[in-house]
Amino acid sequence: MEPSEEMRQSGGPTRSRFLRWIWTSVVASGCGTLAHLALMELKRWTHLLPQFDPSSAIRDALSPMLADATPHEPALWLASQLNGAFLIGLLFGRVFHRLPGRSGVAKGFVLGLAGWLLLGIVLFPAIGFGPFATSLGLGAGPALFSLAMVEAYSLVLGAVYAALQTPDQSHDPPRAQGPATS
């Protein structure tokens, strides 16, 4: 059956699936961000590892480049958190069906483990913490807390993304397409 001209011009089901994929990724990512922020607040409230503050270290490392562009520090922090979460959520949605694991939680765990490895091997040394924050002299605490921090986000992201899937969704998110040509 040929799609109608109106359906082709509006983007039809492909456009609808694409928008649903974006919406699902953003909602799941927002939920993961809330879990991450709750864990960070618990860390602050309990004074757990006060010397381990990756957000401040990243801000300090970037401050020479952003000296004139940071009039509202909390707004900058929130924007960086939301942008990172948004991009990771979209990436997760894009590769969800290709990740190992049968559940969203398992797939989220895999993403979190990969993210934690990148954090420990690339980001922490770049901000002066050394691999897995070993140069802070705090033992395994920072590495374990950073694993918990990343997994809090990723497990919730995976669970929510999976819960928002509908049975009729294909295994791959659709690509954005313009009007079809005959």
Side-chain angles (χ1 to χ4, degrees):
M1 179 177 182
E2 271 300 305
S4 69
E5 182 64 29
E6 180 182 332
M7 185 175 255
R8 276 189 270 158
Q9 287 180 354
S10 70
T14 301
R15 181 170 184 210
S16 174
R17 283 181 44 224
F18 179 75
L19 293 175
R20 180 162 175 75
W21 164 69
I22 289 176
W23 175 83
T24 304
S25 298
V26 170
V27 168
S29 181
C31 292
T33 297
L34 291 176
H36 169 84
L37 292 175
L39 184 60
M40 296 307 293
E41 185 59 25
L42 179 65
K43 176 189 178 299
R44 187 192 66 75
W45 184 69
T46 61
H47 305 288
L48 179 67
L49 297 167
Q51 311 89 325
F52 177 61
D53 187 2
S55 295
S56 292
I58 291 168
R59 186 186 59 242
D60 292 345
L62 295 176
S63 66
M65 293 180 276
L66 304 172
D68 295 331
T70 58
H72 305 289
E73 189 173 302
L76 177 66
W77 178 84
L78 183 61
S80 71
Q81 293 293 316
L82 295 178
N83 284 332
F86 176 74
L87 293 174
I88 292 169
L90 288 176
L91 173 66
F92 182 76
R94 189 76 183 133
V95 301
F96 178 79
H97 295 288
R98 292 182 181 100
L99 288 170
R102 292 180 183 220
S103 69
V105 171
K107 292 170 184 286
F109 179 78
V110 170
L111 176 76
L113 193 57
W116 176 68
L117 290 170
L118 281 171
L119 191 70
I121 295 170
V122 177
L123 182 65
F124 286 170
I127 61 174
F129 284 5
F132 295 98
T134 54
S135 70
L136 295 177
L138 300 171
L144 293 174
F145 187 79
S146 65
L147 176 62
M149 178 179 65
V150 172
E151 288 296 351
Y153 170 83
S154 299
L155 292 171
V156 171
L157 169 74
V160 171
Y161 188 86
L164 293 175
Q165 298 299 295
T166 58
D168 64 331
Q169 288 177 312
S170 72
H171 289 295
D172 290 319
R175 299 193 193 291
Q177 295 178 349
T181 58
S182 300

